[in-house]
Amino acid sequence: MKCKLCNNKAVMNGFCSKHYVEWFENQVFKTIKDYQLLSPDEKIAVAVSGGKDSKSLLYILSKKFNVTAIAIDEGIPGYRDVLLEGLKQFCKDLGVKLKVYSFKQEFGLSLKEIVDSRKFKNSGLKPCSVCGVFRRYLLNKHAKSFDKLATAHNLDDEVQTVIMNVFKNNKDLLLRIGPITNKKKGFVQRVKPFYFLKEKQVAAYAFLKGFLPRFNECPFSYGLRSNVARLVNDLEVKMPGFKKNFIQAFLKIKQLAAKQGFESFDNVCKVCGEPSSKPVCKTCELVLRFNPGFKQLLKV
Ligand code: SF4
């Protein structure tokens, strides 16, 4: 099949590689414009993991915006350290500043040390439950000096996250999902320029641009998200357009909830002073559970 715009062979969405890359970047800039995600006079932090999605996002945003890359080193030997090495070179080539914050430095323990501890093994928790909470916390904490925090979440991620938060009855987190979060004291506004692009579209862009890392499978990842991803992909095959329809319906419901004044995170954590819906935030609860002697979180 030929490209819709030239005589070259079509590789994705009916475009050749050159026109697909252009189409993809235009879609990203369109979402940014339509949802007023970013403006050129703002200082933007871009959350980067070293994986294909966040490298693609950093590359595209660096074309038009004032960006700094922020990475979190959870302490997963043989995985994050390898990705971070590639990321350092990537940022250097792009001329973008990279800041790295680690669990070990901030919470006294790496993720590996937490996961290997007897307390964790007896807790019934999964590594991702601790990792996700700590990473969100550190990104928010260190992006506060910026106007916005951009993340590379795509349409598939968002559909899966909505479904998983419904499964877990996480209404606070559900209300924070969307292409841009509301302005709220203590929180940097998060924006997701890939919000309406499917996982495979982002992967195709990263592949064509040569942004795929050597490997990117976390040894601690566990089944729930991949089960939900499979379910969502099956539904998309049976009902083409399911992902987009689902997320658009969700955004409408969220808008209605906002009109009802349904807010959360109105308190601050009495341990660290960060925003929290409970007297002690989830991060401090977990740190004090696995590393009770760690005092650095305490407010001064
Ligand atoms: Fe963390 Fe889980 Fe992602 Fe691994 S898969 S980096 S443990 S959230």
Coordinates of all heavy atoms in Angstrom, one line a residue, residues 90-165:
F90 N 21.1 10.4 25.8 CA 20.0 10.9 25.0 C 19.8 12.4 25.3 O 19.7 13.3 24.4 CB 18.7 10.1 25.3 CG 17.5 10.5 24.5 CD1 17.4 10.1 23.2 CD2 16.5 11.3 25.0 CE1 16.3 10.4 22.4 CE2 15.4 11.7 24.2 CZ 15.3 11.2 22.9
C91 N 19.7 12.8 26.6 CA 19.5 14.2 27.0 C 20.7 15.0 26.6 O 20.6 16.2 26.2 CB 19.3 14.3 28.5 SG 17.7 13.6 29.0
K92 N 21.9 14.5 26.7 CA 23.1 15.2 26.3 C 23.1 15.5 24.8 O 23.3 16.7 24.4 CB 24.4 14.3 26.6 CG 25.6 15.1 26.7 CD 26.7 14.1 27.2 CE 28.1 14.8 27.0 NZ 29.1 13.8 26.9
D93 N 22.7 14.5 24.0 CA 22.6 14.7 22.6 C 21.6 15.8 22.3 O 21.7 16.5 21.3 CB 22.2 13.4 21.9 CG 23.4 12.4 22.0 OD1 24.5 12.8 22.4 OD2 23.1 11.2 21.7
L94 N 20.5 15.8 23.1 CA 19.4 16.7 22.8 C 19.7 18.1 23.4 O 19.0 19.1 23.1 CB 18.1 16.1 23.5 CG 16.8 16.3 22.9 CD1 16.7 15.9 21.5 CD2 15.7 15.5 23.7
G95 N 20.7 18.2 24.3 CA 21.0 19.5 24.9 C 20.0 19.8 26.0 O 19.7 21.0 26.2
V96 N 19.4 18.8 26.6 CA 18.4 19.0 27.7 C 19.0 18.6 29.0 O 19.6 17.6 29.2 CB 17.1 18.2 27.4 CG1 16.1 18.2 28.6 CG2 16.4 18.7 26.1
K97 N 18.7 19.5 30.0 CA 19.2 19.2 31.4 C 18.4 18.0 32.0 O 17.2 18.0 31.9 CB 19.1 20.4 32.3 CG 19.7 20.3 33.6 CD 19.7 21.7 34.3 CE 20.4 21.5 35.7 NZ 20.2 22.6 36.5
L98 N 19.1 17.1 32.6 CA 18.5 15.9 33.3 C 18.7 15.9 34.8 O 19.9 16.1 35.2 CB 19.1 14.6 32.7 CG 18.7 13.3 33.4 CD1 17.2 13.0 33.3 CD2 19.5 12.1 32.8
K99 N 17.7 15.8 35.6 CA 17.8 15.7 37.0 C 17.3 14.4 37.5 O 16.2 13.9 37.1 CB 17.0 16.8 37.7 CG 17.4 18.2 37.4 CD 16.5 19.2 38.2 CE 17.1 20.6 38.0 NZ 16.4 21.5 38.9
V100 N 18.1 13.7 38.3 CA 17.7 12.3 38.7 C 17.6 12.3 40.3 O 18.5 12.8 41.0 CB 18.8 11.3 38.3 CG1 18.4 9.9 38.7 CG2 19.0 11.3 36.8
Y101 N 16.5 11.8 40.8 CA 16.2 11.7 42.2 C 16.0 10.2 42.5 O 15.3 9.5 41.8 CB 15.0 12.5 42.6 CG 15.1 13.9 42.2 CD1 14.6 14.4 41.1 CD2 15.8 14.8 43.1 CE1 14.8 15.8 40.7 CE2 16.0 16.2 42.7 CZ 15.5 16.6 41.5 OH 15.6 17.9 41.2
S102 N 16.6 9.7 43.6 CA 16.5 8.3 43.9 C 15.7 8.0 45.2 O 15.6 8.8 46.1 CB 17.9 7.7 44.0 OG 18.4 8.0 45.3
F103 N 15.0 6.8 45.2 CA 14.3 6.4 46.4 C 15.3 6.3 47.6 O 15.0 6.6 48.7 CB 13.7 5.0 46.2 CG 12.5 4.9 45.3 CD1 12.0 6.0 44.6 CD2 11.8 3.7 45.2 CE1 10.9 5.9 43.9 CE2 10.6 3.7 44.5 CZ 10.2 4.8 43.8
K104 N 16.5 5.7 47.3 CA 17.5 5.5 48.3 C 17.8 6.8 49.0 O 17.9 6.9 50.3 CB 18.8 4.9 47.7 CG 19.9 4.6 48.6 CD 19.7 3.4 49.4 CE 20.9 3.1 50.4 NZ 20.6 1.9 51.2
Q105 N 18.1 7.8 48.2 CA 18.4 9.1 48.8 C 17.3 9.8 49.5 O 17.4 10.4 50.6 CB 18.8 10.0 47.6 CG 19.8 11.1 48.0 CD 20.1 11.9 46.7 OE1 19.5 11.7 45.6 NE2 21.1 12.8 46.8
E106 N 16.1 9.6 49.0 CA 14.9 10.4 49.5 C 14.2 9.6 50.6 O 13.6 10.2 51.5 CB 13.9 10.7 48.4 CG 14.5 11.4 47.2 CD 14.3 12.9 47.3 OE1 13.5 13.3 48.2 OE2 14.9 13.6 46.5
F107 N 14.2 8.3 50.6 CA 13.5 7.5 51.5 C 14.4 6.5 52.4 O 13.9 5.8 53.2 CB 12.4 6.7 50.8 CG 11.4 7.5 50.0 CD1 11.2 7.2 48.7 CD2 10.8 8.6 50.5 CE1 10.4 7.9 47.9 CE2 9.9 9.3 49.7 CZ 9.7 9.0 48.4
G108 N 15.7 6.5 52.1 CA 16.6 5.7 52.8 C 16.7 4.3 52.4 O 17.5 3.5 52.8
L109 N 15.8 3.8 51.4 CA 15.9 2.5 50.9 C 15.6 2.5 49.4 O 14.7 3.2 49.0 CB 14.8 1.6 51.6 CG 14.9 1.2 53.1 CD1 13.6 0.5 53.5 CD2 16.1 0.4 53.3
S110 N 16.3 1.6 48.7 CA 15.9 1.4 47.3 C 14.7 0.5 47.2 O 14.4 -0.2 48.2 CB 17.1 0.8 46.5 OG 17.3 -0.5 46.9
L111 N 14.1 0.5 46.0 CA 12.9 -0.4 45.9 C 13.4 -1.9 46.1 O 12.7 -2.7 46.7 CB 12.3 -0.3 44.5 CG 11.0 -1.0 44.3 CD1 9.9 -0.5 45.2 CD2 10.5 -1.0 42.8
K112 N 14.6 -2.2 45.6 CA 15.1 -3.6 45.7 C 15.2 -4.0 47.2 O 14.8 -5.0 47.6 CB 16.4 -3.7 45.0 CG 17.2 -5.0 45.2 CD 16.8 -6.0 44.1 CE 17.7 -7.2 44.1 NZ 17.4 -8.2 45.1
E113 N 15.7 -3.0 48.0 CA 15.9 -3.3 49.4 C 14.5 -3.4 50.1 O 14.4 -4.3 51.0 CB 16.7 -2.1 50.1 CG 18.2 -2.2 49.7 CD 18.9 -0.9 50.2 OE1 18.3 0.2 50.2 OE2 20.1 -1.0 50.5
I114 N 13.6 -2.6 49.7 CA 12.2 -2.7 50.3 C 11.6 -4.1 50.0 O 11.2 -4.8 50.8 CB 11.3 -1.6 49.8 CG1 11.8 -0.3 50.3 CG2 9.8 -1.8 50.2 CD1 11.1 0.9 49.7
V115 N 11.7 -4.4 48.7 CA 11.1 -5.7 48.2 C 11.7 -6.9 48.8 O 11.1 -7.9 49.1 CB 11.2 -5.7 46.6 CG1 10.8 -7.1 46.1 CG2 10.3 -4.7 46.0
D116 N 13.1 -6.8 49.1 CA 13.8 -8.0 49.7 C 13.5 -8.1 51.2 O 14.0 -9.1 51.8 CB 15.3 -7.8 49.4 CG 15.6 -8.2 48.0 OD1 14.8 -8.7 47.3 OD2 16.8 -7.8 47.6
S117 N 13.0 -7.0 51.8 CA 12.8 -7.1 53.3 C 11.7 -8.0 53.7 O 10.8 -8.3 53.0 CB 12.5 -5.7 53.8 OG 11.2 -5.3 53.4
R118 N 11.9 -8.6 55.0 CA 10.9 -9.5 55.5 C 9.5 -8.8 55.6 O 8.5 -9.3 55.4 CB 11.3 -10.1 56.8 CG 10.5 -11.3 57.2 CD 11.2 -12.3 58.1 NE 12.5 -12.1 58.5 CZ 12.9 -11.7 59.8 NH1 11.9 -11.6 60.7 NH2 14.1 -11.6 60.1
K119 N 9.6 -7.5 56.1 CA 8.4 -6.7 56.3 C 7.6 -6.7 55.0 O 6.4 -6.8 55.0 CB 8.7 -5.3 56.7 CG 8.9 -5.1 58.2 CD 9.0 -3.7 58.5 CE 9.5 -3.5 59.9 NZ 10.0 -2.2 60.2
F120 N 8.3 -6.4 53.9 CA 7.6 -6.3 52.6 C 7.0 -7.7 52.3 O 5.8 -7.7 51.8 CB 8.5 -5.8 51.5 CG 7.8 -5.6 50.2 CD1 7.1 -4.5 49.9 CD2 7.8 -6.7 49.3 CE1 6.4 -4.4 48.7 CE2 7.1 -6.5 48.1 CZ 6.4 -5.4 47.8
K121 N 7.8 -8.7 52.4 CA 7.3 -10.0 52.0 C 6.0 -10.4 52.8 O 5.2 -11.1 52.3 CB 8.4 -11.1 52.2 CG 9.4 -10.9 51.1 CD 10.5 -11.9 51.2 CE 11.5 -11.7 50.0 NZ 12.9 -11.9 50.4
N122 N 5.9 -9.9 54.1 CA 4.8 -10.3 54.9 C 3.6 -9.3 54.7 O 2.6 -9.4 55.3 CB 5.1 -10.2 56.4 CG 6.1 -11.4 56.7 OD1 6.1 -12.4 56.0 ND2 6.9 -11.2 57.7
S123 N 3.8 -8.2 53.9 CA 2.8 -7.2 53.8 C 1.7 -7.5 52.8 O 0.6 -6.8 52.9 CB 3.5 -5.9 53.3 OG 3.9 -6.0 51.9
G124 N 1.9 -8.4 51.9 CA 0.9 -8.7 50.9 C 0.8 -7.6 49.8 O 0.0 -7.7 48.9
L125 N 1.8 -6.6 49.9 CA 1.8 -5.6 48.8 C 2.6 -6.1 47.6 O 3.4 -7.0 47.7 CB 2.5 -4.3 49.3 CG 1.8 -3.5 50.4 CD1 2.7 -2.5 51.0 CD2 0.6 -2.8 49.7
K126 N 2.3 -5.5 46.5 CA 3.1 -5.7 45.2 C 4.2 -4.6 45.1 O 3.9 -3.4 45.5 CB 2.2 -5.7 44.0 CG 1.1 -6.7 44.1 CD 1.6 -8.1 43.8 CE 0.5 -9.1 43.8 NZ 0.8 -10.4 44.3
P127 N 5.3 -4.9 44.5 CA 6.3 -3.8 44.3 C 5.8 -2.5 43.6 O 6.1 -1.4 44.0 CB 7.4 -4.5 43.4 CG 7.3 -5.9 43.7 CD 5.8 -6.2 44.0
C128 N 4.9 -2.7 42.6 CA 4.4 -1.6 41.9 C 3.5 -0.7 42.8 O 3.4 0.5 42.6 CB 3.5 -2.0 40.7 SG 4.4 -2.9 39.5
S129 N 2.9 -1.2 43.8 CA 2.0 -0.4 44.7 C 2.9 0.6 45.5 O 2.5 1.7 45.7 CB 1.3 -1.2 45.7 OG 0.8 -2.4 45.2
V130 N 4.1 0.1 45.9 CA 5.0 1.1 46.6 C 5.7 2.0 45.6 O 5.7 3.2 45.8 CB 6.1 0.2 47.4 CG1 7.1 1.2 48.0 CG2 5.5 -0.7 48.4
C131 N 6.2 1.4 44.5 CA 6.9 2.1 43.5 C 6.1 3.3 42.9 O 6.6 4.4 42.8 CB 7.3 1.2 42.4 SG 8.4 1.8 41.1
G132 N 4.9 3.0 42.6 CA 4.0 4.0 42.0 C 3.7 5.2 42.9 O 3.8 6.4 42.5
V133 N 3.5 4.9 44.2 CA 3.2 5.9 45.2 C 4.5 6.8 45.4 O 4.4 8.1 45.3 CB 2.8 5.3 46.5 CG1 2.8 6.4 47.6 CG2 1.5 4.6 46.4
F134 N 5.6 6.2 45.5 CA 6.9 6.9 45.8 C 7.2 7.8 44.5 O 7.7 8.9 44.7 CB 8.0 6.0 46.1 CG 8.0 5.4 47.5 CD1 7.0 5.6 48.3 CD2 9.1 4.7 47.9 CE1 6.9 5.1 49.6 CE2 9.1 4.1 49.2 CZ 8.0 4.4 50.1
R135 N 7.1 7.2 43.4 CA 7.5 7.9 42.1 C 6.6 9.2 41.9 O 7.1 10.2 41.7 CB 7.4 7.0 40.9 CG 8.3 7.5 39.8 CD 8.3 6.7 38.6 NE 7.0 6.1 38.4 CZ 6.8 4.8 38.1 NH1 7.8 4.0 38.1 NH2 5.6 4.3 37.9
R136 N 5.3 9.0 42.1 CA 4.4 10.2 42.0 C 4.7 11.3 42.9 O 4.7 12.4 42.6 CB 2.9 9.7 42.2 CG 2.2 9.2 40.9 CD 0.7 9.1 41.2 NE 0.3 8.2 42.2 CZ 0.2 6.9 42.1 NH1 0.4 6.4 40.9 NH2 -0.1 6.2 43.1
Y137 N 5.0 10.8 44.2 CA 5.4 11.8 45.2 C 6.6 12.6 44.9 O 6.7 13.8 44.9 CB 5.6 11.0 46.5 CG 6.0 11.8 47.7 CD1 5.1 12.2 48.6 CD2 7.4 12.0 48.0 CE1 5.4 12.9 49.8 CE2 7.7 12.8 49.1 CZ 6.8 13.2 50.0 OH 7.2 13.9 51.1
L138 N 7.7 11.9 44.4 CA 8.9 12.5 44.1 C 8.8 13.4 42.9 O 9.4 14.5 42.8 CB 10.1 11.5 43.9 CG 10.5 10.8 45.2 CD1 11.7 9.9 44.9 CD2 10.9 11.8 46.3
L139 N 8.1 13.0 41.9 CA 7.9 13.8 40.7 C 7.2 15.1 41.1 O 7.6 16.2 40.7 CB 7.1 13.1 39.6 CG 7.9 12.0 38.9 CD1 6.9 11.2 38.0 CD2 9.0 12.6 38.0
N140 N 6.1 15.0 41.9 CA 5.4 16.2 42.3 C 6.3 17.1 43.1 O 6.4 18.3 42.9 CB 4.2 15.8 43.1 CG 3.3 17.1 43.4 OD1 2.8 17.7 42.5 ND2 3.2 17.4 44.7
K141 N 7.0 16.5 44.1 CA 7.9 17.3 45.0 C 9.0 18.1 44.2 O 9.2 19.3 44.4 CB 8.6 16.4 46.0 CG 9.5 17.0 46.9 CD 10.1 16.0 47.9 CE 11.3 16.5 48.7 NZ 12.0 15.5 49.4
H142 N 9.6 17.4 43.2 CA 10.7 18.0 42.5 C 10.3 18.8 41.3 O 11.1 19.5 40.6 CB 11.8 17.0 42.2 CG 12.4 16.5 43.4 ND1 13.3 17.2 44.2 CD2 12.3 15.3 44.0 CE1 13.6 16.5 45.2 NE2 13.1 15.3 45.2
A143 N 9.0 18.7 40.9 CA 8.6 19.5 39.7 C 7.9 20.8 40.2 O 7.4 21.6 39.3 CB 7.7 18.7 38.8
K144 N 7.8 21.0 41.5 CA 7.1 22.2 42.0 C 7.7 23.5 41.5 O 7.0 24.5 41.5 CB 7.0 22.2 43.5 CG 5.9 21.3 44.0 CD 5.7 21.5 45.5 CE 4.9 20.4 46.0 NZ 5.0 20.3 47.5
S145 N 9.0 23.5 41.2 CA 9.6 24.8 40.8 C 9.3 25.1 39.3 O 9.8 26.0 38.8 CB 11.1 24.8 41.1 OG 11.7 23.7 40.5
F146 N 8.6 24.1 38.7 CA 8.3 24.3 37.2 C 6.8 24.7 37.1 O 6.0 24.6 38.0 CB 8.5 23.0 36.5 CG 10.0 22.6 36.4 CD1 10.6 21.9 37.5 CD2 10.7 22.9 35.3 CE1 11.9 21.6 37.5 CE2 12.1 22.6 35.3 CZ 12.7 21.9 36.4
D147 N 6.4 25.2 35.9 CA 5.0 25.5 35.7 C 4.2 24.3 35.5 O 3.0 24.2 35.8 CB 4.9 26.5 34.5 CG 5.6 27.8 34.7 OD1 5.2 28.5 35.7 OD2 6.6 28.1 34.0
K148 N 4.7 23.3 34.8 CA 3.9 22.1 34.4 C 4.9 20.9 34.5 O 6.1 21.0 34.3 CB 3.4 22.2 33.0 CG 2.5 23.4 32.7 CD 1.0 23.1 33.0 CE 0.1 24.3 32.8 NZ 0.1 24.9 31.5
L149 N 4.2 19.7 34.7 CA 5.0 18.5 34.6 C 4.3 17.6 33.5 O 3.1 17.3 33.6 CB 4.8 17.7 35.9 CG 5.4 16.2 35.9 CD1 6.9 16.2 35.7 CD2 5.0 15.5 37.2
A150 N 5.1 17.4 32.4 CA 4.5 16.6 31.3 C 4.9 15.1 31.5 O 6.1 14.8 31.8 CB 5.1 17.1 30.0
T151 N 4.0 14.2 31.3 CA 4.2 12.8 31.3 C 3.8 12.2 30.0 O 3.0 12.7 29.3 CB 3.5 12.1 32.5 OG1 2.1 12.2 32.2 CG2 3.8 12.7 33.8
A152 N 4.4 11.0 29.7 CA 4.2 10.3 28.4 C 3.0 9.3 28.4 O 3.0 8.4 27.6 CB 5.5 9.7 27.9
H153 N 2.1 9.5 29.3 CA 1.0 8.5 29.3 C 0.2 8.6 28.0 O -0.1 9.7 27.6 CB 0.0 8.8 30.5 CG 0.7 8.6 31.8 ND1 1.2 9.5 32.6 CD2 0.9 7.4 32.5 CE1 1.7 9.0 33.7 NE2 1.5 7.7 33.6
N154 N -0.2 7.4 27.5 CA -0.9 7.4 26.2 C -2.4 6.9 26.5 O -2.7 6.7 27.6 CB -0.2 6.6 25.2 CG 0.0 5.1 25.7 OD1 -0.9 4.5 26.2 ND2 1.2 4.6 25.6
L155 N -3.1 6.8 25.4 CA -4.5 6.5 25.5 C -4.7 5.1 26.2 O -5.6 5.0 27.1 CB -5.2 6.4 24.1 CG -6.6 6.1 24.0 CD1 -7.5 7.1 24.8 CD2 -7.1 6.0 22.6
D156 N -3.9 4.1 25.8 CA -4.0 2.8 26.5 C -3.7 2.9 28.0 O -4.5 2.3 28.8 CB -3.0 1.8 25.8 CG -3.3 1.5 24.4 OD1 -3.4 2.5 23.6 OD2 -3.6 0.4 24.1
D157 N -2.7 3.6 28.3 CA -2.3 3.8 29.8 C -3.5 4.3 30.5 O -3.8 3.9 31.6 CB -1.2 4.8 30.0 CG 0.1 4.3 29.4 OD1 0.4 3.1 29.4 OD2 0.9 5.2 28.9
E158 N -4.1 5.3 29.9 CA -5.2 6.1 30.6 C -6.5 5.2 30.8 O -7.1 5.2 31.9 CB -5.6 7.3 29.9 CG -4.5 8.4 30.0 CD -4.2 8.8 31.4 OE1 -5.0 9.5 32.0 OE2 -3.2 8.4 31.9
V159 N -6.8 4.4 29.7 CA -8.0 3.5 29.8 C -7.7 2.5 30.9 O -8.5 2.2 31.8 CB -8.3 2.9 28.5 CG1 -9.4 1.8 28.6 CG2 -8.7 3.9 27.4
Q160 N -6.5 1.9 30.9 CA -6.1 0.9 31.9 C -6.2 1.5 33.3 O -6.7 0.9 34.2 CB -4.7 0.4 31.6 CG -4.5 -0.4 30.4 CD -3.1 -0.4 29.9 OE1 -2.2 -0.2 30.7 NE2 -2.9 -0.8 28.7
T161 N -5.7 2.7 33.5 CA -5.6 3.3 34.8 C -7.0 3.6 35.3 O -7.3 3.4 36.5 CB -4.8 4.7 34.7 OG1 -3.5 4.3 34.2 CG2 -4.6 5.3 36.1
V162 N -7.9 4.1 34.5 CA -9.3 4.3 34.9 C -9.9 3.0 35.4 O -10.4 2.9 36.5 CB -10.1 4.9 33.8 CG1 -11.6 5.0 34.2 CG2 -9.7 6.3 33.4
I163 N -9.7 2.0 34.6 CA -10.3 0.7 35.0 C -9.7 0.1 36.3 O -10.4 -0.3 37.2 CB -10.1 -0.4 33.8 CG1 -11.0 0.1 32.6 CG2 -10.5 -1.8 34.3 CD1 -10.8 -0.7 31.4
M164 N -8.4 0.2 36.4 CA -7.7 -0.3 37.6 C -8.1 0.5 38.9 O -8.3 0.0 39.9 CB -6.2 -0.2 37.5 CG -5.7 -1.3 36.5 SD -4.0 -1.1 36.0 CE -3.1 -1.3 37.5
N165 N -8.3 1.8 38.7 CA -8.7 2.6 39.9 C -10.2 2.4 40.3 O -10.5 2.5 41.4 CB -8.5 4.1 39.6 CG -7.0 4.5 39.9 OD1 -6.5 4.2 40.9 ND2 -6.4 5.0 38.9

